[in-house]
Amino acid sequence: MTNLLLVLAVLDIALMTILIIIYRIPPLSRRLQATAVVQRYWRPGWPDLSTMIPPLVLVMTGVLGGIIYLL
């Protein structure tokens, strides 16, 4: 169980790092927004990807705090 929680914590940190890098480099964010997968599943009423990254990172920080609490 501890190993699984450690793996989840490392994956959470890695995903947060990738999201922050995408957020900090605007051309990368625009390129990601233009991919076919994002265009297929992204609803017209949803905000831009670059405005969704900070709340996602905040939620993932809470998840990481929960994982640390469980350890």
Side-chain angles (χ1 to χ4, degrees), residues 8-48:
L8 287 175
V10 168
L11 288 175
D12 189 40
I13 291 169
L15 188 57
M16 282 194 300
T17 304
I18 290 169
L19 285 174
I20 289 170
I21 289 171
I22 289 171
Y23 181 72
R24 296 286 182 187
I25 304 173
L28 189 58
S29 178
R30 285 191 296 267
R31 184 177 294 168
L32 182 67
Q33 187 82 28
T35 60
V37 174
V38 173
Q39 288 181 351
R40 177 182 292 170
Y41 295 110
W42 203 259
R43 304 269 191 257
W46 291 358
D48 288 338

